[in-house]
Amino acid sequence: MPVYEYTALDRAGKTKKGILDADSTVAARQKLRGSGIFPVEVKEALSKPKGIPSGPVSLIGLLKGVKPGEIFAMTRQLSILLGAGVPLVKSLEALISQITNSMLQKIMAQIKESVNEGNSLAFSLSQHPKFFSNLYVNMVDSGEASGSLDVVLGRLAEFGEHQQALRGRFKAALAYPAFMSLIGTVVLFFLITFIVPNITKIFTDMHQTLPL
């Protein structure tokens, strides 16, 4: 089933944007009207987002337009929903409605559609290798096979969040010596440019030799 992007007006006249799946543009407009909003523009979403850089990463690619933290937050939310007994497709639908990043929203809508067609979540994720690494997909596959998908997703989220925190601490640890080096360079420049010439001038005016 195709995925459509829409711009619509709610009953208060406020503009709303999002995505939904429907059989056609007409069906998408009908679905929007049925939910109480007036469609202004409805167009089919791109089947594959553009502008995604390539390159290996430890868990999830650092993607243009999608922060790793957003992926980890989505993973944790999905874990919580599944742990509460919400079916997978319904959980994905709930996630899509909460995601504010349009690129990630499109990807998750395509994943939900793939799952809805009978594919496993791991297979659906594997269709987006720039977003989800082999490690991520394989762990999800193991979770589905063992019936503990919510637990595995929770561990993935914890692992990703730990990576983020570790990276933040590493950057903070590097920031202090870099700052001190900058201060030292500024002080040295000030001494060479202003202080040393003035001292040299004083000794010259006194006809004294500058001590070494």
Side-chain angles (χ1 to χ4, degrees):
M1 188 179 295
V3 176
Y4 293 89
E5 297 177 347
Y6 68 84
T7 302
L9 298 175
D10 62 14
R11 290 188 176 91
K14 295 181 179 180
T15 301
K16 299 186 66 175
K17 294 184 178 181
I19 62 173
L20 78 164
D21 54 338
D23 293 324
S24 64
T25 304
V26 174
R29 288 180 176 275
Q30 291 175 344
K31 185 178 288 189
L32 289 170
R33 291 192 186 96
S35 62
I37 58 177
F38 179 77
V40 176
E41 181 183 18
V42 177
K43 61 182 180 180
E44 189 169 356
L46 296 175
S47 59
K48 187 174 183 180
K50 298 179 180 179
I52 302 174
S54 60
V57 291
S58 57
L59 180 62
I60 296 174
L62 298 178
L63 307 167
K64 181 180 180 181
V66 179
K67 297 178 181 178
E70 293 176 304
I71 296 287
F72 301 141
M74 178 272 298
T75 302
R76 181 167 294 284
Q77 289 171 348
L78 183 57
S79 170
I80 293 171
L81 288 169
L82 293 175
V86 181
L88 179 56
V89 173
K90 291 293 183 183
S91 296
L92 291 172
E93 287 177 351
L95 279 180
I96 291 168
S97 66
Q98 296 173 13
I99 294 173
T100 57
N101 186 305
S102 59
M103 181 180 289
L104 181 57
Q105 195 178 51
K106 290 177 187 177
I107 290 298
M108 293 309 299
Q110 292 164 13
I111 289 171
K112 189 217 81 171
E113 186 56 38
S114 176
V115 171
N116 205 32
E117 291 173 354
N119 297 311
S120 68
L121 178 60
F123 173 82
S124 303
L125 293 170
S126 70
Q127 302 308 298
H128 305 278
K130 305 297 184 187
F131 286 78
F132 303 97
S133 70
N134 288 334
L135 172 62
Y136 192 104
V137 172
N138 289 337
M139 288 189 68
V140 169
D141 188 39
S142 298
E144 287 183 298
S146 63
S148 56
L149 181 57
D150 59 323
V151 176
V152 170
L153 288 171
R155 289 174 180 170
L156 275 171
E158 289 176 5
F159 177 67
E161 289 163 357
H162 176 71
Q163 275 195 327
Q164 288 291 98
L166 193 62
R167 189 177 293 112
R169 288 196 295 269
F170 180 71
K171 288 180 179 179
L174 290 179
Y176 180 74
F179 175 74
M180 294 306 297
S181 297
L182 177 62
I183 293 298
T185 302
V186 171
V187 170
L188 183 61
F189 175 79
F190 179 77
L191 288 173
I192 294 174
T193 305
F194 299 102
I195 303 301
V196 173
N198 287 336
I199 293 176
T200 303
K201 185 176 183 303
I202 291 173
F203 275 85
T204 301
D205 292 342
M206 295 173 61
H207 304 289
Q208 297 289 328
T209 302
L210 186 67
L212 299 178

